[in-house]
Amino acid sequence: MAELMLLGDWKMDVPPFPCFFGLKDFQGLNTHDLDKENSEVRQKLDGIDIRCAALSSYSLVKAFLLEHALGSRFGIYRSAIEKLLLWCLLVVEKPIIQLDEQDIRAFMDFCLCPPDDWVAKQPEKRLRRASNKRTSKVFVVNAFWRPFRTGPVREEVSGARISGYASLAVELAVINSFYLFLYAEDLIDINPAGSLHRSKHYSGREAIHNGAKSFSISDWNLFVEAAESLAINDDEFERKLFLLMSIYQALRI
């Protein structure tokens, strides 16, 4: 736990930034080059230490996401693998293709108690208008976006934020899928997430449905995370999410 607290207190010179945006924008990227990448993202990647192989790691993640560029899953896959990519580039400064099992375990611990400057206090869109005028059609990367965000309900352990185990199970499942993708492409010999994923260390802690007609806290947090991902590019869904959250808060009073 002491190690987790050190991670939580650690400050980075470069704050995390969104690497990928909406599904429509993502589908417009070139498969085999970086010619159509967001200029701000490209600039940030170029500025990262060469030891991280930032562009190569980014390209591998992009290739993986292209396999899952469907409205039903893109947001969840993007959120999960993007966290790992940013952790590689900004925390351990290691190419994503070189991670081993110990690294994956360290990353999952990081997700359990992310540092404060990786957590948004409220949902933030990945892009924002360049000016305060609603008619502005110029968008820039939102500097307030963070990979993690506080949910409607958070457990507290010694003051550190704790991600729900249901969310961690999804995170690990996506990471395992990513490394299986690299393995199938003959880019790695061993899946570093395989052993931990097979152990069901996180999924085993999820609540088993016993017929109760209500969400557990972990279920609700996972639902909100997925719903917020869908709401980012859908104003109508964003309004529905607002109503759901309002009802939830009212029922808790």
Side-chain angles (χ1 to χ4, degrees):
M1 188 64 188
E3 181 180 354
L4 295 182
M5 292 302 294
L6 286 174
L7 281 172
D9 292 336
W10 187 65
K11 300 294 183 182
M12 291 158 296
D13 294 332
V14 180
F17 55 90
C19 298
F20 306 100
F21 302 98
L23 177 58
K24 185 176 180 180
D25 290 334
F26 181 77
Q27 291 174 330
L29 299 179
N30 291 340
T31 305
H32 302 296
D33 60 52
L34 302 177
D35 291 344
K36 292 187 177 181
E37 255 57 30
N38 178 283
S39 60
E40 290 182 79
V41 172
R42 180 62 188 269
Q43 183 178 12
K44 290 179 182 295
L45 292 172
D46 286 337
I48 292 173
D49 194 302
I50 191 173
R51 294 173 299 175
C52 302
L55 293 179
S56 175
S57 294
Y58 170 91
S59 296
L60 291 173
V61 169
K62 182 175 77 168
F64 168 70
L65 286 176
L66 285 169
E67 298 286 320
H68 302 280
L70 302 172
S72 59
R73 70 177 73 170
F74 177 72
I76 294 175
Y77 274 66
R78 177 192 59 187
S79 175
I81 198 62
E82 185 178 56
K83 289 186 181 78
L84 180 65
L85 174 62
L86 290 170
W87 183 78
C88 289
L89 302 182
L90 304 179
V91 179
V92 293
E93 298 184 331
K94 188 174 183 179
I96 200 168
I97 202 171
Q98 293 182 11
L99 297 189
D100 56 26
E101 182 178 340
Q102 185 176 355
D103 291 322
I104 299 300
R105 291 181 180 274
F107 170 70
M108 297 306 293
D109 287 343
F110 181 88
C111 291
L112 195 64
C113 298
D116 287 343
D117 49 0
W118 277 56
V119 182
K121 303 302 181 184
Q122 60 186 19
E124 294 283 355
K125 293 188 176 182
R126 292 165 176 263
L127 294 172
R128 64 173 180 81
R129 286 186 171 86
S131 72
N132 293 327
K133 296 181 179 179
R134 294 183 60 85
T135 56
S136 174
K137 295 184 179 180
V138 178
F139 288 83
V140 295
V141 172
N142 184 2
F144 295 103
W145 176 90
R146 293 294 182 267
F148 299 90
R149 51 183 172 268
T150 55
V153 178
R154 284 281 177 176
E155 301 173 55
E156 295 288 336
V157 177
S158 301
R161 263 178 298 274
I162 302 297
S163 296
Y165 277 98
S167 296
L168 292 178
V170 172
E171 186 84 32
L172 183 58
V174 173
I175 292 171
N176 182 66
S177 180
F178 170 67
Y179 282 105
L180 287 176
F181 167 77
L182 297 185
Y183 181 82
E185 295 292 320
D186 290 327
L187 296 173
I188 58 174
D189 295 323
I190 298 175
N191 174 5
S195 178
L196 186 58
H197 183 255
R198 288 191 298 272
S199 73
K200 300 187 182 299
H201 177 73
Y202 299 104
S203 59
R205 302 190 184 195
E206 294 182 55
I208 298 175
H209 183 57
N210 58 8
K213 297 180 179 180
S214 62
F215 285 127
S216 68
I217 291 175
S218 294
D219 290 337
W220 177 255
N221 286 338
L222 185 59
F223 165 77
V224 171
E225 183 174 348
E228 287 178 346
S229 296
L230 293 173
I232 288 175
N233 296 303
D234 188 335
D235 291 338
E236 181 63 28
F237 195 90
E238 188 173 12
R239 285 190 285 271
K240 293 177 182 178
L241 178 59
F242 173 76
L243 290 174
L244 286 171
M245 295 299 294
S246 298
I247 293 171
Y248 176 82
Q249 294 297 335
L251 292 174
R252 293 183 62 211
I253 296 176

